[in-house]
């Protein structure tokens, strides 16, 4: 069969098109495109079906696992596909590793090294227990996130644009330095012993719950890493769609109660806004996928992220 590859403007990208077996998959097509355009490896390619001029519909994205024939009209042995180059890609593991490594390394620098002397503060620095516990708590959190990235999560998307590494690192590394600076500051005033224990206690329970939520999500996918979404259930997922985000938000609340800096509360609010946005999209997606029609299960009534508000 013949496949013509065009750009979004309709310009032919591969002169004369590509000849493929009738049983070829989209993945074979991607390899063939890569063969002709060395820079454009498969995960950089977004292949869609062309839209009618003026159409407002979303284009159909070709699934690499499907046969090309499935996208052809009956009795036609050729297909035109639109290729978009997504730019350089990195694996999700690489993305997550670099974004979490920053805070894991930056935070202890403020605790262990004479950063404040270097910044012009005179006199001895007295380290309060809250600052030491905060260091352990922080490092445990990011170490856990790196371990989960490599040994727990089963991602459905192969890659992410390289530019996201810079964007996400800027977010995590800057907040890491901002919070570390204030919590470890020589003029830091610790909260009462009770408040510290309540904060870290709540935070720790939520971190462990968050880990358990990630194990539940992991078990929704088969080990070969194939994509697809299931209705999460069990533990907090029986009540909340994005229980992992809920526990993440509450564990940062625990940290903020225990350390009480404006910086940690700012991070809490920003992180909660980001996760709420994502949770709304995930909730919508699951409700759409499991609409109760044509034999599909119906998505149960649940909170999105923060009961009893949302
Ligand atoms: N502090 C912050 O600013 C912040 C922001 C975001 C996240 N986080 C933390 O990072 C963790 C991971 O974040 P994330 O956004 O990657 O979480 P996520 O999208 O909820 O997913 C975690 C993993 O579970 C999979 N998954 C989710 N729902 C599923 C379903 N219904 N069926 C099958 N698999 C499903 C995901 O697959 P896909 O690969 O298909 O998505 C992904 O591999 C969060 O739980 C949170 O602890 C922190």
């Amino acid at each position: 069969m013949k496949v013509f590859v065009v750009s979004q403007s309709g310009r032919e990208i591969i002169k004369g098109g590509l000849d493929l077996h009738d049983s070829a998959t989209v993945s074979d097509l991607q390899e063939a495109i890569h063969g002709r355009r060395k820079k454009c490896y498969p995960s950089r390619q977004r292949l869609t079906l062309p839209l009618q001029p003026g159409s407002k519909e979303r284009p159909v994205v070709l699934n690499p696992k499907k046969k090309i024939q499935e996208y052809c009209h009956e009795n036609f042995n050729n297909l035109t596909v639109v290729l978009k180059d997504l730019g350089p890609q990195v694996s999700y593991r690489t993305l997550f590793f670099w974004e979490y490594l920053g805070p894991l390394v930056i935070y202890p620098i403020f605790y262990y090294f004479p950063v404040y002397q270097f910044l012009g503060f005179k006199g001895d620095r007295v380290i309060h227990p809250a600052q030491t516990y905060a260091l352990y708590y922080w490092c445990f959190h990011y170490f856990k996130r790196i371990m989960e990235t490599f040994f727990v999560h089963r991602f459905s998307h192969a890659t992410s644009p390289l530019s996201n590494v810079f964007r996400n690192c800027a977010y995590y590394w800057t907040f890491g330095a901002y919070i570390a600076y204030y919590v470890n500051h020589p003029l830091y005033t610790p909260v009462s012993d009770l408040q510290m224990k309540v904060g870290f206690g709540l935070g720790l329970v939520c971190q462990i719950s968050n880990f358990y939520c990630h194990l539940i999500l992991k078990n929704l996918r088969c080990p070969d890493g194939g994509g697809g979404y299931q209705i999460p259930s069990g533990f907090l997922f029986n009540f909340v769609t994005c229980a992992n985000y809920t526990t993440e938000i509450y564990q940062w609340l625990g940290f903020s109660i225990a350390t009480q800096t404006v910086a940690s509360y700012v991070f809490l609010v920003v992180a909660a806004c980001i996760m709420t946005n994502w949770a709304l999209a995930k909730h919508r997606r699951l409700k759409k996928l499991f609409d109760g029609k044509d034999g599909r299960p119906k998505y149960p009534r649940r909170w999105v992220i923060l009961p009893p508000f949302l």
Side-chain angles (χ1 to χ4, degrees):
M1 68 179 308
K2 192 94 173 164
V3 181
F4 298 99
V5 184
V6 298
S7 68
Q8 283 172 307
S9 62
R11 183 178 52 84
E12 195 179 24
I13 295 181
I14 293 174
K15 292 277 173 268
L18 292 161
D19 290 303
L20 291 148
H21 289 292
D22 285 355
S23 59
T25 61
V26 173
S27 176
D28 296 329
L29 169 61
Q30 289 181 316
E31 289 296 346
I33 295 172
H34 182 210
R36 295 283 290 272
R37 284 174 68 96
K38 289 289 169 221
K39 193 183 77 167
C40 210
Y41 45 85
S43 59
R44 268 183 86 142
Q45 301 172 20
R46 182 176 183 263
L47 296 175
T48 54
L49 294 182
L51 286 174
Q52 295 298 325
S55 168
K56 294 261 184 298
E57 282 178 29
R58 280 169 170 239
V60 174
V61 180
L62 273 59
N63 180 343
K65 287 183 184 156
K66 286 194 175 176
K67 288 191 173 172
I68 302 172
Q69 284 285 5
E70 293 180 44
Y71 296 101
C72 294
H73 288 294
E74 267 177 57
N75 305 328
F76 279 90
N77 212 21
N78 63 53
L79 181 73
T80 300
V81 297
V82 178
L83 169 66
K84 185 178 178 207
D85 182 358
L86 298 172
Q89 303 285 303
V90 291
S91 75
Y92 266 82
R93 292 209 159 86
T94 307
L95 171 71
F96 279 19
F97 173 74
W98 285 107
E99 68 184 39
Y100 301 151
L101 185 69
L104 187 60
V105 171
I106 291 168
Y107 194 102
I109 292 175
F110 285 84
Y111 181 90
Y112 285 112
F113 294 96
V115 176
Y116 300 94
Q117 276 178 24
F118 182 73
L119 293 172
F121 287 95
K122 303 271 181 282
D124 287 338
R125 179 171 158 238
V126 178
I127 297 179
H128 304 281
Q131 292 172 304
T132 305
Y133 294 139
L135 170 84
Y136 296 154
Y137 183 97
W138 182 278
C139 291
F140 172 69
H141 175 75
Y142 282 102
F143 178 74
K144 165 183 158 296
R145 295 268 288 269
I146 291 179
M147 290 298 115
E148 287 172 343
T149 298
F150 288 103
F151 303 112
V152 179
H153 294 317
R154 285 176 178 157
F155 301 105
S156 63
H157 311 288
T159 59
S160 160
L162 176 66
S163 55
N164 285 353
V165 175
F166 301 105
R167 186 199 61 189
N168 293 15
C169 286
Y171 169 73
Y172 278 106
W173 296 30
T174 309
F175 265 116
Y178 178 43
I179 296 169
Y181 175 84
Y182 284 104
V183 176
N184 295 296
H185 200 282
L187 300 178
Y188 173 77
T189 313
V191 296
S192 71
D193 201 50
L194 177 67
Q195 184 174 333
M196 180 186 77
K197 285 178 180 158
V198 169
F200 283 134
L202 167 74
L204 215 54
V205 169
C206 292
Q207 286 219 49
I208 293 163
S209 307
N210 177 265
F211 174 67
Y212 187 54
C213 288
H214 289 152
L215 289 182
I216 292 177
L217 289 176
K218 172 201 168 127
N219 291 326
L220 296 178
R221 293 237 164 96
C222 45
D224 68 7
Y229 293 93
Q230 309 291 331
I231 300 178
S233 61
F235 189 45
L236 301 173
F237 285 110
N238 288 341
F239 313 100
V240 195
T241 295
C242 291
N244 53 324
Y245 291 164
T246 312
T247 48
E248 174 81 19
I249 291 171
Y250 280 116
Q251 71 87 15
W252 281 122
L253 178 67
F255 180 85
S256 301
I257 291 171
T259 54
Q260 196 158 296
T261 61
V262 171
S264 67
Y265 278 106
V266 171
F267 182 57
L268 170 63
V269 171
V270 174
C273 289
I274 293 172
M275 283 185 270
T276 301
N277 220 356
W278 293 356
L280 286 166
K282 284 169 197 285
H283 190 77
R284 267 198 304 272
R285 177 175 63 198
L286 288 172
K287 278 178 76 169
K288 202 170 157 195
L289 280 172
F290 302 103
D291 54 7
K293 293 177 191 157
D294 301 328
R296 288 183 292 269
K298 186 157 172 57
Y299 194 67
R301 217 175 126 75
R302 281 179 190 170
W303 297 102
V304 178
I305 181 167
L306 280 179
F309 308 108
L310 184 67

